[in-house]
Amino acid sequence: MSGKAVWITGASSGIGAGLARAYAKRGCRLILSGRNEAALAEVAAQCGTEHLILPFEASDFAAAQAAADKAWDWSGGIDVLVNNAGISQRSLAVDTDFAVYRKMIDIDLLGPIALTQALLKRMVARKSGQIVMISSLAGKIGSPLRSAYCAAKHGLIGYADSLRIELSPHNISVIGVTPGSIRTDVSRNAITADGGRRGVSDEAIDTGIDPDEFAERMLAAIDAGQREVAIAEHGMEQMIAEARRTPEELFDRMIATFNSGYAAKMGVSEQ
């Protein structure tokens, strides 16, 4: 990984900051994005590696395109894109304003898609790269009080699964990551039924995995060739993580055979 250019969104705290430190240990050059420029600068100082700070709001899709151009030019290409920026939700669906669903989809689903699409043609032309989508166990199974969050995170896994099949001929890997409870401010920053900030945490989050430990475990799993990384500590979360792991590459190739005209590109039979 030494010298590779790694772009991490949501890098100002939590999982994103942990990943920045983990990639820095491996000698990577970092591009750090988020809304809080001062916090990004603090994380960069902790990493002590060559870096570029590109602050922008995840739901500002025009800003994402402009940031993609700057990041690519700075690094001469992006080796690893980690789509980590996002927010959570804590409210019953029956009480939740539709605006909350729109905000959640914009930030947690369309934001990562917009940034990935801004880089995709260049990565394909370069014939190399890795795209990491930080979803959630809530992207694999529905959870109460998180209907908007689950919808967005399920969508992110679907997008990642499709990309993985399409990009494999171009030597670009796509990894879906489904964390359980990680010790961050995700619950405090979650939005409520009217779109306000929740302001309190959950016991499961407070007793969850340390972000730096999570980051090391995630990178170890990617190094080991896992195409979907599920990391959880609590008993029920561990059961879900194990039960919902995506099958091996054969599954992707089977899906490809059901898509007219695509099987030939993948080099598989439609029989």
Side-chain angles (χ1 to χ4, degrees), residues 256-270:
T257 65
F258 287 96
N259 291 273
S260 177
Y262 198 76
K265 295 180 183 179
M266 292 292 293
V268 297
S269 171
E270 292 190 351

PDB file of all heavy atoms in Angstrom, residues 256-270:
ATOM      1  N   ALA A 256     -24.795 -12.647 -13.402  1.00  0.00           N
ATOM      2  CA  ALA A 256     -24.435 -12.104 -14.711  1.00  0.00           C
ATOM      3  C   ALA A 256     -25.101 -12.869 -15.840  1.00  0.00           C
ATOM      4  O   ALA A 256     -25.459 -12.296 -16.872  1.00  0.00           O
ATOM      5  CB  ALA A 256     -22.918 -12.132 -14.886  1.00  0.00           C
ATOM      6  N   THR A 257     -25.312 -14.178 -15.656  1.00  0.00           N
ATOM      7  CA  THR A 257     -25.906 -14.980 -16.732  1.00  0.00           C
ATOM      8  C   THR A 257     -27.361 -14.628 -16.964  1.00  0.00           C
ATOM      9  O   THR A 257     -27.917 -14.934 -18.022  1.00  0.00           O
ATOM     10  CB  THR A 257     -25.798 -16.487 -16.419  1.00  0.00           C
ATOM     11  OG1 THR A 257     -26.595 -16.795 -15.269  1.00  0.00           O
ATOM     12  CG2 THR A 257     -24.362 -16.888 -16.170  1.00  0.00           C
ATOM     13  N   PHE A 258     -28.012 -13.991 -16.005  1.00  0.00           N
ATOM     14  CA  PHE A 258     -29.409 -13.622 -16.156  1.00  0.00           C
ATOM     15  C   PHE A 258     -29.595 -12.270 -16.844  1.00  0.00           C
ATOM     16  O   PHE A 258     -30.710 -11.833 -17.065  1.00  0.00           O
ATOM     17  CB  PHE A 258     -30.099 -13.602 -14.788  1.00  0.00           C
ATOM     18  CG  PHE A 258     -30.340 -14.970 -14.228  1.00  0.00           C
ATOM     19  CD1 PHE A 258     -29.445 -15.522 -13.332  1.00  0.00           C
ATOM     20  CD2 PHE A 258     -31.454 -15.714 -14.603  1.00  0.00           C
ATOM     21  CE1 PHE A 258     -29.652 -16.780 -12.807  1.00  0.00           C
ATOM     22  CE2 PHE A 258     -31.665 -16.974 -14.085  1.00  0.00           C
ATOM     23  CZ  PHE A 258     -30.763 -17.520 -13.186  1.00  0.00           C
ATOM     24  N   ASN A 259     -28.503 -11.621 -17.144  1.00  0.00           N
ATOM     25  CA  ASN A 259     -28.571 -10.312 -17.781  1.00  0.00           C
ATOM     26  C   ASN A 259     -28.181 -10.442 -19.244  1.00  0.00           C
ATOM     27  O   ASN A 259     -27.034 -10.698 -19.575  1.00  0.00           O
ATOM     28  CB  ASN A 259     -27.636  -9.319 -17.073  1.00  0.00           C
ATOM     29  CG  ASN A 259     -28.143  -8.969 -15.687  1.00  0.00           C
ATOM     30  OD1 ASN A 259     -28.938  -8.060 -15.538  1.00  0.00           O
ATOM     31  ND2 ASN A 259     -27.707  -9.718 -14.685  1.00  0.00           N
ATOM     32  N   SER A 260     -29.167 -10.286 -20.110  1.00  0.00           N
ATOM     33  CA  SER A 260     -28.960 -10.482 -21.543  1.00  0.00           C
ATOM     34  C   SER A 260     -27.825  -9.623 -22.058  1.00  0.00           C
ATOM     35  O   SER A 260     -27.768  -8.424 -21.811  1.00  0.00           O
ATOM     36  CB  SER A 260     -30.248 -10.129 -22.303  1.00  0.00           C
ATOM     37  OG  SER A 260     -30.062 -10.234 -23.690  1.00  0.00           O
ATOM     38  N   GLY A 261     -26.903 -10.261 -22.779  1.00  0.00           N
ATOM     39  CA  GLY A 261     -25.801  -9.539 -23.396  1.00  0.00           C
ATOM     40  C   GLY A 261     -24.617  -9.330 -22.487  1.00  0.00           C
ATOM     41  O   GLY A 261     -23.529  -9.008 -22.949  1.00  0.00           O
ATOM     42  N   TYR A 262     -24.804  -9.505 -21.159  1.00  0.00           N
ATOM     43  CA  TYR A 262     -23.685  -9.236 -20.261  1.00  0.00           C
ATOM     44  C   TYR A 262     -22.855 -10.478 -19.990  1.00  0.00           C
ATOM     45  O   TYR A 262     -21.669 -10.388 -19.704  1.00  0.00           O
ATOM     46  CB  TYR A 262     -24.173  -8.651 -18.926  1.00  0.00           C
ATOM     47  CG  TYR A 262     -23.058  -7.974 -18.165  1.00  0.00           C
ATOM     48  CD1 TYR A 262     -22.598  -6.717 -18.556  1.00  0.00           C
ATOM     49  CD2 TYR A 262     -22.426  -8.598 -17.108  1.00  0.00           C
ATOM     50  CE1 TYR A 262     -21.555  -6.106 -17.903  1.00  0.00           C
ATOM     51  CE2 TYR A 262     -21.379  -7.992 -16.447  1.00  0.00           C
ATOM     52  CZ  TYR A 262     -20.955  -6.746 -16.853  1.00  0.00           C
ATOM     53  OH  TYR A 262     -19.908  -6.145 -16.204  1.00  0.00           O
ATOM     54  N   ALA A 263     -23.475 -11.645 -20.101  1.00  0.00           N
ATOM     55  CA  ALA A 263     -22.760 -12.881 -19.798  1.00  0.00           C
ATOM     56  C   ALA A 263     -21.523 -13.040 -20.682  1.00  0.00           C
ATOM     57  O   ALA A 263     -20.460 -13.456 -20.223  1.00  0.00           O
ATOM     58  CB  ALA A 263     -23.684 -14.083 -19.966  1.00  0.00           C
ATOM     59  N   ALA A 264     -21.663 -12.682 -21.969  1.00  0.00           N
ATOM     60  CA  ALA A 264     -20.526 -12.831 -22.885  1.00  0.00           C
ATOM     61  C   ALA A 264     -19.353 -11.961 -22.450  1.00  0.00           C
ATOM     62  O   ALA A 264     -18.189 -12.356 -22.552  1.00  0.00           O
ATOM     63  CB  ALA A 264     -20.952 -12.470 -24.303  1.00  0.00           C
ATOM     64  N   LYS A 265     -19.648 -10.771 -21.952  1.00  0.00           N
ATOM     65  CA  LYS A 265     -18.588  -9.870 -21.492  1.00  0.00           C
ATOM     66  C   LYS A 265     -17.854 -10.457 -20.282  1.00  0.00           C
ATOM     67  O   LYS A 265     -16.680 -10.200 -20.072  1.00  0.00           O
ATOM     68  CB  LYS A 265     -19.174  -8.496 -21.142  1.00  0.00           C
ATOM     69  CG  LYS A 265     -19.752  -7.745 -22.324  1.00  0.00           C
ATOM     70  CD  LYS A 265     -20.306  -6.397 -21.883  1.00  0.00           C
ATOM     71  CE  LYS A 265     -20.954  -5.651 -23.040  1.00  0.00           C
ATOM     72  NZ  LYS A 265     -21.501  -4.359 -22.604  1.00  0.00           N
ATOM     73  N   MET A 266     -18.600 -11.230 -19.472  1.00  0.00           N
ATOM     74  CA  MET A 266     -18.016 -11.825 -18.291  1.00  0.00           C
ATOM     75  C   MET A 266     -17.319 -13.146 -18.600  1.00  0.00           C
ATOM     76  O   MET A 266     -16.674 -13.745 -17.748  1.00  0.00           O
ATOM     77  CB  MET A 266     -19.105 -12.061 -17.230  1.00  0.00           C
ATOM     78  CG  MET A 266     -19.679 -10.796 -16.657  1.00  0.00           C
ATOM     79  SD  MET A 266     -18.498  -9.882 -15.648  1.00  0.00           S
ATOM     80  CE  MET A 266     -18.300 -11.008 -14.276  1.00  0.00           C
ATOM     81  N   GLY A 267     -17.497 -13.632 -19.847  1.00  0.00           N
ATOM     82  CA  GLY A 267     -16.861 -14.890 -20.229  1.00  0.00           C
ATOM     83  C   GLY A 267     -17.522 -16.095 -19.631  1.00  0.00           C
ATOM     84  O   GLY A 267     -16.878 -17.115 -19.367  1.00  0.00           O
ATOM     85  N   VAL A 268     -18.855 -16.026 -19.396  1.00  0.00           N
ATOM     86  CA  VAL A 268     -19.561 -17.167 -18.843  1.00  0.00           C
ATOM     87  C   VAL A 268     -20.687 -17.578 -19.772  1.00  0.00           C
ATOM     88  O   VAL A 268     -21.163 -16.805 -20.603  1.00  0.00           O
ATOM     89  CB  VAL A 268     -20.140 -16.847 -17.438  1.00  0.00           C
ATOM     90  CG1 VAL A 268     -19.042 -16.554 -16.470  1.00  0.00           C
ATOM     91  CG2 VAL A 268     -21.127 -15.677 -17.497  1.00  0.00           C
ATOM     92  N   SER A 269     -21.109 -18.812 -19.643  1.00  0.00           N
ATOM     93  CA  SER A 269     -22.173 -19.348 -20.489  1.00  0.00           C
ATOM     94  C   SER A 269     -23.528 -18.940 -19.961  1.00  0.00           C
ATOM     95  O   SER A 269     -23.745 -18.826 -18.755  1.00  0.00           O
ATOM     96  CB  SER A 269     -22.077 -20.876 -20.538  1.00  0.00           C
ATOM     97  OG  SER A 269     -23.215 -21.418 -21.181  1.00  0.00           O
ATOM     98  N   GLU A 270     -24.487 -18.730 -20.863  1.00  0.00           N
ATOM     99  CA  GLU A 270     -25.850 -18.400 -20.456  1.00  0.00           C
ATOM    100  C   GLU A 270     -26.699 -19.658 -20.258  1.00  0.00           C
ATOM    101  O   GLU A 270     -27.879 -19.581 -19.958  1.00  0.00           O
ATOM    102  CB  GLU A 270     -26.513 -17.497 -21.493  1.00  0.00           C
ATOM    103  CG  GLU A 270     -25.886 -16.113 -21.550  1.00  0.00           C
ATOM    104  CD  GLU A 270     -26.693 -15.156 -22.397  1.00  0.00           C
ATOM    105  OE1 GLU A 270     -27.627 -15.593 -23.075  1.00  0.00           O
ATOM    106  OE2 GLU A 270     -26.348 -13.966 -22.375  1.00  0.00           O
TER     107      GLU A 270
END
